[in-house]
Amino acid sequence: MSDDKEVQDMNVDAETEDDEEFNNNNNNKDNNNTSKEESVSTESQQDADYISESDNLEKMILSTGIRVGTPVKTKYMTQFIVRANPEGLYILDISKTLAKIDVAAKFIGRANISRVAVTSAREYGKTPVEKFCELTGARGVFGRFMPGTFTNPSLPKYMEPEIVIVTDPQADQQAVVESTRAGVPIVAISNSDNVTSKVDLVIPANNRGRKALATVYWLLAREVLKKQGTIKSDSEMKVSIDDFETKLVEEIS
């Protein structure tokens, strides 16, 4: 009897240990599942916040008229046009605009930024160019473009840029011509009616609108800063589009 009793006691002990182990395993699984659920929930919330932020940014960008072209289109810009609106204005493909800004930023990010020249003969382009240069370290060429700036070493303001960014290949035609002669690659913000035969990299966008130009240069500055390592994410861009925008006289007063 004693042997049978010992065996029974051993079986009871073993069953008790098994039950405890089973319960512990289940508790661990429950804890792990809870932890995983909390982790997934946190990630889902972060994704939702990011998507919401991205959606808001996209809506805000579109509201600036960045994709609104002119009533005229050239064969050079047809590939960037998606349709015409009821007013007869050609609408540019915003996805191609953003993609080209990213390509341009990579290109600019590999250059010596102090030898990147940015020009704007358009009045609404002056403040965006100034702000872009202030943030990135590029060199701005403002006002009337002096003939020989890129080709005549005897001029006081002679430059030997690695890259030239123009706000409008038509308005900044002299800069385009001299860059071509000097063999300097050209990045140009180009509208639906621009001729871009001498441009190396086209950024399709509204280059006439005050808010649109501010948005293009803000987006380009943000991407260049990321490529330079100055900022690591979009959220670290503390300067707003409004800071890039040319202020009207009544807004200043």
Side-chain angles (χ1 to χ4, degrees):
M1 286 289 295
S2 59
D3 290 341
D4 291 340
K5 179 89 168 66
E6 285 181 15
V7 170
Q8 288 177 359
D9 291 342
M10 288 174 64
N11 287 340
V12 169
D13 290 341
E15 287 174 1
T16 303
E17 288 176 3
D18 287 343
D19 288 342
E20 288 177 356
E21 185 177 352
F22 177 77
N23 291 332
N24 287 336
N25 286 339
N26 279 344
N27 288 335
N28 288 337
K29 285 179 182 177
D30 289 341
N31 290 335
N32 288 339
N33 287 338
T34 301
S35 178
K36 286 178 182 177
E37 286 172 4
E38 288 175 352
S39 177
V40 169
S41 176
T42 302
E43 289 177 4
S44 298
Q45 185 59 48
Q46 289 174 344
D47 289 343
D49 291 342
Y50 177 78
I51 291 170
S52 175
E53 187 178 326
S54 298
D55 287 345
N56 290 336
L57 179 62
E58 185 175 345
K59 288 177 183 176
M60 186 266 294
I61 288 172
L62 292 176
S63 71
T64 66
I66 187 174
R67 62 176 179 166
V68 180
T70 73
V72 178
K73 69 175 178 179
T74 63
K75 64 179 182 179
Y76 304 97
M77 295 300 295
T78 300
Q79 61 180 308
F80 302 113
I81 295 170
V82 290
R83 61 184 173 85
N85 70 8
E87 288 76 35
L89 300 174
Y90 288 104
I91 303 301
L92 300 162
D93 188 336
I94 188 65
S95 65
K96 291 185 178 180
T97 301
L98 298 176
K100 290 293 185 178
I101 285 174
D102 186 61
V103 172
K106 289 175 182 175
F107 185 42
I108 295 164
R110 289 195 293 265
N112 178 349
I113 194 65
S114 65
R115 292 184 61 192
V116 174
V118 194
T119 115
S120 177
R122 292 198 172 279
E123 186 61 29
Y124 287 162
K126 183 181 178 184
T127 300
V129 168
E130 285 178 342
K131 203 67 184 175
F132 176 85
C133 293
E134 176 190 325
L135 290 174
T136 64
R139 293 182 63 182
V141 182
F142 305 105
R144 179 174 175 269
F145 187 89
M146 184 64 65
T149 299
F150 297 156
T151 56
N152 187 351
S154 64
L155 289 179
K157 293 186 178 180
Y158 170 72
M159 298 171 61
E160 291 184 336
E162 286 184 23
I163 299 171
V164 172
I165 304 171
V166 301
T167 304
D168 182 335
Q170 180 181 341
D172 299 307
Q173 184 178 11
Q174 185 63 33
V176 171
V177 169
E178 294 195 16
S179 300
T180 303
R181 288 177 183 169
V184 179
I186 302 164
V187 176
I189 303 169
S190 304
N191 215 323
S192 64
D193 61 348
N194 279 131
V195 174
T196 59
S197 53
K198 294 181 180 179
V199 173
D200 297 281
L201 179 56
V202 171
I203 297 176
N206 177 352
N207 57 12
R208 284 35 178 293
R210 185 165 62 100
K211 293 180 182 296
L213 277 174
T215 303
V216 175
Y217 274 108
W218 179 83
L219 288 167
L220 185 59
R222 187 185 69 175
E223 294 307 310
V224 169
L225 290 174
K226 285 198 289 187
K227 300 300 183 286
Q228 290 175 333
T230 306
I231 63 175
K232 291 184 171 56
S233 65
D234 294 347
S235 60
E236 292 182 36
M237 183 70 168
K238 302 305 180 185
V239 182
S240 69
I241 292 175
D242 186 61
D243 295 321
F244 276 70
E245 190 176 321
T246 300
K247 300 299 183 284
L248 299 177
V249 176
E250 55 266 28
E251 291 178 342
I252 298 172
S253 59

